[in-house]
Structures are given as structure tokens and as C-alpha cells.
Amino acid sequence: MNLFAIAENLEAMSAKQEEIRIGFYVCHCGHNIGKTVNCPEVAKFVATLPHVVHSVDYKYMCSDPGQELIRLDIQQHKLNRVVVASCSPLLHEHTFRGACAAAGLNPYYFQMVNIREHDSWVHADNPVEATEKAKALAQAAVERVAQHKALEVKRVPIHQDVLIVGGGIAGIHAALTIANSFENTPDSGKPPRKVYLVEREPSIGGHMAKFDKTFPTLDCAACILTPKMSEVGAHENIELMTYSEVAKMDGYVGNYTVTVRHKPRYIIADLCTGCQDCISHCVVQPEKSPKLMAANEFNEGLDKRRPVYIPFPQATPQIVLIDPMVCLNFRKGVLTDKCKKSCVTACGEKKAIDFTQKETTEELKVGTIIVATGFKAFDSRRKPEYGYGVYPNVYTALEVERLVNASGPTGGHVVLRDGRTKPKTIGIIHCVGSRDERTHKWCSRVCCMYSLKLAHLLHEHTGAEMYNFYIDIRTPGKGYEEFYGKLLEEGVNFIRGRVGEVTDWAMTPEEEGKLVIRVEDTLAGMVRRIPVDMVVLATGLEPQADAQEVRRIFNMSCGTEGFFLERHPKLAPVNTFTDGIFIAGACQGPRDIPDTVAQAGAAAAEAMALISRGFVEQEPNTAFILDAECSGCKSCIPLCPYTAILFDEARKKAYINEALCKGCGTCVASCPSGSIVQNLFEDDQVFSEIHGVLAYD
């Protein structure tokens, strides 16, 4: 039996079961469709098809009057099927399903035809052929919708707890926003709810904790951040998990099971009071054993720290930790028990130090997840022409942030690596690792502004003559252009042109003992050599080194740059393609602090919307397995991208968790026995649609 005979038999069977009454609507979409497709002609043609009892064209079907037209026609003409030919189903399928439901019709008796992207836009130069194609597509939809079945949307309850991954300013703001919305009082009548904030570093704060001031207002970064950090640490609705990482995630929206791996601090957190006596009594002393000191990560390696340490004075939580890679009680991370343990003696009766601690794991049950893992600064060694790591007085922007900070390694005094103090000339090179075909093509958005900020701070600390070497100055934020004007008034020299190299090769007596920046000044039309005492590289922002691993854990997508991808850049900027998982901050792309905080608030609002609703509705276009036909071959299980297919060892049959299934159809196409069926894409529906296209003449 050929395809046409199959479709005709199916049509005859469905006609016997019920009287099918189809309403057809074709949308002009302004000029998007109506300029190319003859919409009245399409409506007139569809009116001649079997089961079509009403066929009209309308200017804007998605408008309120257009939706009202569908609702009234369903009642007046007793329609039990609806087809709309308009734009992409991604944009308005939900809208028209809602209109059908409002009129009392099951929304899955609706079919949508895309005659904008699939027709009018790609055939704008041939209106006649575009109209004929629209007729064929409409006939296919009409024949298909006759085979539709009534489906039911299922509701899945939402677990009330929230997980936030990343303790930078985005994670902190999101955590506080959500935690402050929870009413965990005994008389509230609601079960207690909690926010879990997981941070891989020993303290929350992220990159912002390293900054001295923030642009454009030059507010103290610590004055803004540390109160919020303290609030997180003391909040009764937030459980802070620092020095921890997410190892695994299972489940589905509303019911995620997350495995968190806790790294050993070798300190019993509940017993530590933060007195820091163990630090001062550590046998490794800066003046006696400098070679045993470790590079201070928080200060970008500009100074050293002891094996027992706290990351920075305002760290949250105020709990010390022991670095097993440099502690004398270990040897390269392995416990040797060879140190005299003066830190243990100093800890006294608290007995908070435990050298036998091991890595532990913990399972959390949460309903929604916010990923705010931040960014990584570009490695300046990838631009060897700028001399980072070769010339001691070439610094990155983050290193300068620590140099000018009062709590930094030099107490806020700009001391050069070669021992000189207060450089007289300083050059800041913009776009290091950004807008570059050899490294990263994207603009990192914040580099221009933080370069202007550092120019101001360095001039304030040293009185040096400042040079900014830029490609284009980009100051698009509130108050940013005014800040740029302030720097011009301060006498900062701006030279437009990409720097070719930084060298110590002197060609004139003035260049002796200096670093020479060679640059083509595009405004002056000449190549210049600028001798300076200090070079600052304004490094760009790039994805975290483990972004791909995090993406796989949370089943998210990444863009071409490696940053996490949102569901829609305009309509769903903090949602991901995995329901219940949201992104915030610089893990999605370079952004400044105000934008990061705003996005964190948006992600928190999306998570709270799910929590407050208490359930999530799942589309019924899921797959299911016919037990009688399943052979138990398991070939579908590894192919499912959502791990929705499981195997029942007792029955020797596969089965699908509908809560995890996203209706991609991979298993349906791959099943060798044909035992997997997908709602809305059953054989009779697909064959009818194909028949409708091929039968049009």
C-alpha cells in the first residue's frame, strides 16, 4: 500500500469517528507575508479542502482581535480543529493554543504553518510561486490536524529549595534576593525553604573582592561588597558552601538532585572561631623561611602567604584553611606527620585543626538552579609581544587593582617589581586579548572603563604621566561618557592605535632603562615610540577554563565564544534550554557590575516565579514506549540527550521518564522495532502531512 492509500484510509477512519470541522486562518503579518503571498487566494483555496468549514485571512492574527476571532469562530462554527498559517511556531504557537483553550477546545487540536520564514521571506522575488507553496503547506496542515488527538498538559511539583553555583557578585545578589523572599517562620504555615550557595574558592566575593574602586563613581568596592558578603554568611535562609564544587546533577525541572563535592580545609568549620592564632603561630615564617611560602592567589601572586591562611581580611566565611601542597605536615599533598604542629598548639582547646580530613560529598534536592560562575581574565602570556612575564614592570590590570588597594601587598603604594617606587610614566594598553583575530574576536565591554579608572587611580597614587593606547573608546553605560571626559580634563594622553610591541631596546638616551611602547598613532598618521616606566595590560574577559565541563553537568549550551548560551537573547536572556536552570553574570558574556547585578536579579525572579507557582507544566509532546513491541535491546538509552530513557531489569523493557523527555524524537527515529511513539508526531499525523504536500497540484 502506497503513501497516498495510507493517508486516504487514515482520513476515512478519522471521519467515521467524529465529524471534523476545521477552521483555517492565514495571517498577512503586515507586509512580512502579505506583500509576497496572496493571502485571500490561499484562504479561498483552503475553503475547498475536505473538513474545512471556515477559512479567512486577517491582517494580524496574533493581535487580540485576531485571537478573539478564533475564539468566536470555534463557538459559532462548532470548530474542533484549528490551523493558522502565519510566522514561526516558536514565536506564537503558544499564543494560538491559548486562544483555542480559551474557547474550550483542546489546544493540541491546533496546527501552525510557517509561511513567513519558510515561504514569504525566502521567496520574496516570486510571489506567484510563494502563494502556491503556501497553499501546499496549508493543505498539509489541514490533513495533519485531522489526525490530532486530545493531549493533556501534566503538572510537576516544584521543590522549594534553590541552588546557586558561584559566589561572585551575581551569585551573592541572586542568593539574597531569593532568601529574602522566603518566609521561614513557624507561623507561616509553609515548609522551610533554603538557598544553597556553592563557591569553589574558600571565600565568596569573586573578582569584585579584588577591586579597589568601581567605575564610574569610584565607590570603594569593598564598602559595597563586604556588607552583602556578611549578610549572606549570616542569613538564616542561606546555606553557604565554600571550597566546594558541583560534581553531578540528575533529575528534571522542579526536582533536581545535585551532588556537591566538599574539598578538605583541614579545619573543622563548626569549631573554628576565626581567631587566626594558627596563622601567626605557623612554623613557616616570612622572615625565616620565605622559600616555603606560597604565592598569594588573591593578590595575583604579587606576595606570599603561609600554608595556614585566610584568603583576605574580609573573607566570608571567616574560616582558615591549610594548603597541603606547601604545609610541612604534608609532602605534595600527602600527610607525612613531620611538622611540629605549632598551629595545633595555638588552636588550643578549640581543636579545630584536623589533618586527616578527606574530601566528602553531599546530595541536595532543589527545584531550580542559577549558574553564576563568572569569567576568567585573559592570559597575557598569549600576547608575547607585550612582554608580560619577560619584563618585570609589565603588569595585568588585576595585578594593578591589588597594587593600588590599601589591603593589597604593598598597602596601596605602587612599588615596581624592579624595586623602584612611583613610576613617572605609565602606559595602559587596551584590548589585550579582545577584538583580536588571533585571540578573541569579541569586545570585553569593561576594558575601556576599567582602563580609565586605573589611569585615574595610578595618577592619583603616583602623579605619573598617563598614556592610554586604545582602538576605540567604548563608554556606553550610565555616567560612563562623563567619566571619560573627567579623564580628558585630568590630562591623560589618549593615543589611538593598536600597540605593536613592548620592548626594552633603547634607540635614544631618553629610552635607556625604560620600557618602550611602539604604536601606530592612527590619528597622527605616524609610528611612535613612547618610553614608560610601567606598562599595564587591560586584559579581556573569557569563559572559565572548565566552562565546557560545567555545561555538561547542567545540560546547557555554549555559544561560539564558549560563554553559556541563553534560550533567547531578547525574550529569555537568563533562561537556558534546560527548564529550571538559569544563568547570570559574566558566565554568559562580558558585562560590568551593574549589568551583572541586574541580570542576577532577573534570574532570581525567574526562579522565584517557578517556586511561587508550585508546579511546572510540561508539554505533552513526549515519547512513550509500547511495552508489547519493545524488544529490550537498549539501543535507545545511550542516544537520549536528556537521559530520559531507563531500563526495567525485571521486565526487560525500556521506559521513558516523561518529566525528563523534551520530545526531540531521537529515540523514535532510532528504535529498530518501532516501539517508541511520540505524541504530536505519530505515524498517521506525519504521513498525512506528507500526503498533503505531495497531493497538492
Side-chain angles (χ1 to χ4, degrees):
M1 187 179 291
N2 61 30
L3 179 64
F4 286 84
I6 293 173
E8 287 170 359
N9 288 341
L10 291 171
E11 186 177 343
M13 291 171 60
S14 61
K16 291 179 183 178
Q17 293 171 0
E18 63 172 328
E19 181 189 359
I20 297 174
R21 300 178 63 83
I22 301 174
F24 177 80
Y25 304 85
V26 57
C27 178
H28 293 246
C29 196
H31 291 298
N32 284 306
I33 295 174
K35 186 178 180 180
T36 305
V37 176
N38 188 331
C39 295
E41 185 178 329
V42 173
K44 184 177 179 181
F45 162 75
V46 174
T48 65
L49 296 177
H51 308 307
V52 176
V53 298
H54 187 65
S55 180
V56 297
D57 62 287
Y58 192 75
K59 198 84 170 177
Y60 293 104
M61 283 304 304
C62 62
S63 64
D64 286 343
Q67 295 178 60
E68 184 64 21
L69 180 65
I70 294 174
R71 290 193 289 267
L72 292 175
D73 287 346
I74 288 174
Q75 296 169 355
Q76 292 176 5
H77 298 280
K78 295 182 172 56
L79 304 178
N80 53 23
R81 303 287 193 281
V82 172
V83 176
V84 174
S86 59
C87 56
S88 167
L90 182 66
L91 192 61
H92 281 306
E93 185 176 54
H94 182 75
T95 302
F96 296 124
R97 280 182 178 172
C100 292
L105 181 66
N106 187 287
Y108 296 95
Y109 280 137
F110 167 80
Q111 178 65 16
M112 192 168 180
V113 188
N114 187 350
I115 60 170
R116 188 178 71 176
E117 285 85 344
H118 290 177
D119 191 0
S120 66
W121 281 1
V122 292
H123 302 298
D125 57 342
N126 197 333
V128 175
E129 293 297 326
T131 301
E132 293 302 304
K133 183 177 180 179
K135 292 178 183 178
L137 293 173
Q139 180 170 334
V142 166
E143 294 199 18
R144 185 192 208 281
V145 79
Q147 308 302 326
H148 279 206
K149 298 176 181 178
L151 299 175
E152 183 181 350
V153 174
K154 293 186 177 180
R155 290 184 174 183
V156 177
I158 294 283
H159 197 288
Q160 297 293 292
D161 292 345
V162 181
L163 171 69
I164 298 176
V165 185
I169 184 59
I172 289 171
H173 184 75
L176 288 173
T177 302
I178 297 173
N180 288 334
S181 72
F182 289 165
E183 187 182 359
N184 288 343
T185 56
D187 57 348
S188 65
K190 299 177 181 178
R193 297 180 287 183
K194 186 172 292 187
V195 177
Y196 297 98
L197 179 56
V198 177
E199 167 58 44
R200 73 170 68 185
E201 298 298 331
S203 169
I204 59 174
H207 283 91
M208 188 176 173
K210 298 182 179 183
F211 300 159
D212 182 42
K213 289 182 171 58
T214 61
F215 58 78
T217 55
L218 297 178
D219 292 323
C220 171
C223 299
I224 300 171
L225 182 64
T226 51
K228 295 177 78 71
M229 291 168 57
S230 299
E231 187 178 354
V232 166
H235 206 295
E236 61 178 359
N237 297 339
I238 298 177
E239 184 168 333
L240 185 56
M241 298 179 175
T242 55
Y243 214 44
S244 303
E245 293 180 312
V246 173
K248 184 181 177 184
M249 184 202 75
D250 295 307
Y252 49 92
V253 56
N255 295 271
Y256 289 114
T257 301
V258 180
T259 303
V260 178
R261 182 172 57 244
H262 302 292
K263 294 176 281 188
R265 284 179 176 264
Y266 304 104
I267 300 290
I268 302 173
D270 292 338
L271 300 180
C272 180
T273 61
C275 67
Q276 302 184 29
D277 287 343
C278 54
I279 298 177
S280 59
H281 285 81
C282 177
V283 296
V284 178
Q285 298 292 329
E287 62 279 358
K288 295 181 181 179
S289 47
K291 292 183 179 180
L292 297 178
M293 302 278 283
N296 191 334
E297 302 90 345
F298 186 78
N299 282 335
E300 297 293 309
L302 294 174
D303 65 347
K304 302 281 189 176
R305 60 162 174 78
R306 293 184 173 98
V308 186
Y309 70 102
I310 195 164
F312 56 101
Q314 301 86 8
T316 301
Q318 281 282 306
I319 301 173
V320 299
L321 69 156
I322 297 174
D323 185 349
M325 302 308 293
V326 292
C327 177
L328 293 179
N329 204 46
F330 296 83
R331 182 172 179 81
K332 296 183 178 179
V334 179
L335 186 63
T336 60
D337 203 31
K338 292 185 177 180
C339 177
K340 65 180 183 179
K341 302 184 185 64
S342 56
C343 57
V344 176
T345 305
C347 192
E349 295 181 357
K350 294 187 289 292
K351 297 181 180 179
I353 299 177
D354 180 8
F355 288 108
T356 64
Q357 271 189 358
K358 303 292 183 183
E359 186 177 275
T360 60
T361 59
E362 179 180 359
E363 277 195 356
L364 307 176
K365 300 286 187 180
V366 297
T368 53
I369 298 171
I370 297 176
V371 179
T373 50
F375 68 92
K376 181 171 77 73
F378 175 78
D379 184 0
S380 298
R381 292 178 179 83
R382 293 174 59 189
K383 297 285 288 182
E385 62 268 31
Y386 293 157
Y388 182 75
V390 177
Y391 305 123
N393 293 338
V394 177
Y395 292 80
T396 66
L398 271 176
E399 289 174 341
V400 175
E401 289 279 5
R402 299 309 303 153
L403 272 182
V404 298
N405 197 299
S407 63
T410 59
H413 301 288
V414 180
V415 180
L416 298 178
R417 284 194 183 99
D418 63 4
R420 288 182 293 166
T421 60
K422 289 195 176 180
K424 296 180 180 179
T425 51
I426 301 174
I428 300 177
I429 302 175
H430 292 217
C431 298
V432 179
S434 298
R435 303 181 66 191
D436 188 339
E437 294 288 336
R438 293 179 299 166
T439 54
H440 301 315
K441 296 181 181 180
W442 63 82
C443 171
S444 291
R445 291 186 61 183
V446 298
C447 311
C448 283
M449 285 304 301
Y450 80 60
S451 296
L452 298 180
K453 177 192 74 173
L454 291 179
H456 171 82
L457 294 177
L458 285 169
H459 178 74
E460 186 178 65
H461 281 71
T462 66
E465 185 175 7
M466 301 300 306
Y467 291 89
N468 273 47
F469 302 90
Y470 69 98
I471 302 174
D472 298 294
I473 293 292
R474 297 184 171 182
T475 55
K478 185 177 181 180
Y480 289 7
E481 189 69 21
E482 291 83 350
F483 189 75
Y484 176 34
K486 174 184 174 70
L487 268 291
L488 290 172
E489 293 175 0
E490 290 180 0
V492 174
N493 300 291
F494 288 90
I495 299 176
R496 187 178 187 274
R498 186 181 287 278
V499 171
E501 68 171 343
V502 175
T503 179
D504 62 351
W505 179 34
M507 296 182 64
T508 63
E510 292 79 10
E511 295 177 357
E512 292 290 342
K514 302 272 190 178
L515 292 173
V516 179
I517 299 175
R518 191 166 66 88
V519 60
E520 180 184 6
D521 189 333
T522 59
L523 297 180
M526 59 184 292
V527 176
R528 299 179 63 179
R529 292 172 61 87
I530 310 293
V532 297
D533 298 316
M534 179 183 185
V535 174
V536 181
L537 304 180
T539 49
L541 278 57
E542 63 183 19
Q544 291 279 17
D546 62 347
Q548 291 297 324
E549 181 183 347
V550 174
R551 175 192 70 79
R552 284 188 287 269
I553 290 174
F554 294 105
N555 198 24
M556 300 186 296
S557 301
C558 284
T560 54
E561 304 94 346
F563 292 105
F564 299 141
L565 190 65
E566 66 283 348
R567 177 171 289 184
H568 192 285
K570 297 177 178 64
L571 303 179
V574 298
N575 301 68
T576 68
F577 288 95
T578 301
D579 294 334
I581 297 181
F582 310 97
I583 50 178
C587 65
Q588 185 193 6
R591 62 196 69 244
D592 57 15
I593 293 171
D595 284 353
T596 295
V597 171
Q599 194 180 29
E606 292 283 358
M608 286 190 295
L610 281 176
I611 294 169
S612 299
R613 194 177 187 187
F615 62 87
V616 62
E617 292 184 341
Q618 292 190 324
E619 287 289 323
N621 61 330
T622 53
F624 59 93
I625 298 176
L626 302 173
D627 275 0
E629 299 181 22
C630 178
S631 63
C633 68
K634 301 182 182 179
S635 59
C636 57
I637 295 176
L639 296 178
C640 179
Y642 302 100
T643 62
I645 307 178
L646 305 171
F647 191 78
D648 188 337
E649 292 291 347
R651 296 167 45 248
K652 300 298 180 184
K653 304 282 185 181
Y655 67 96
I656 294 176
N657 183 342
E658 291 186 357
L660 289 174
C661 179
K662 299 298 179 184
C664 69
T666 303
C667 58
V668 180
S670 64
C671 179
S673 64
S675 63
I676 306 181
V677 181
Q678 183 176 346
N679 291 320
L680 283 182
F681 293 93
E682 297 185 28
D683 288 351
D684 54 355
Q685 296 164 354
V686 175
F687 285 146
S688 296
E689 189 170 13
I690 296 172
H691 174 267
V693 171
L694 298 180
Y696 175 75
D697 187 359

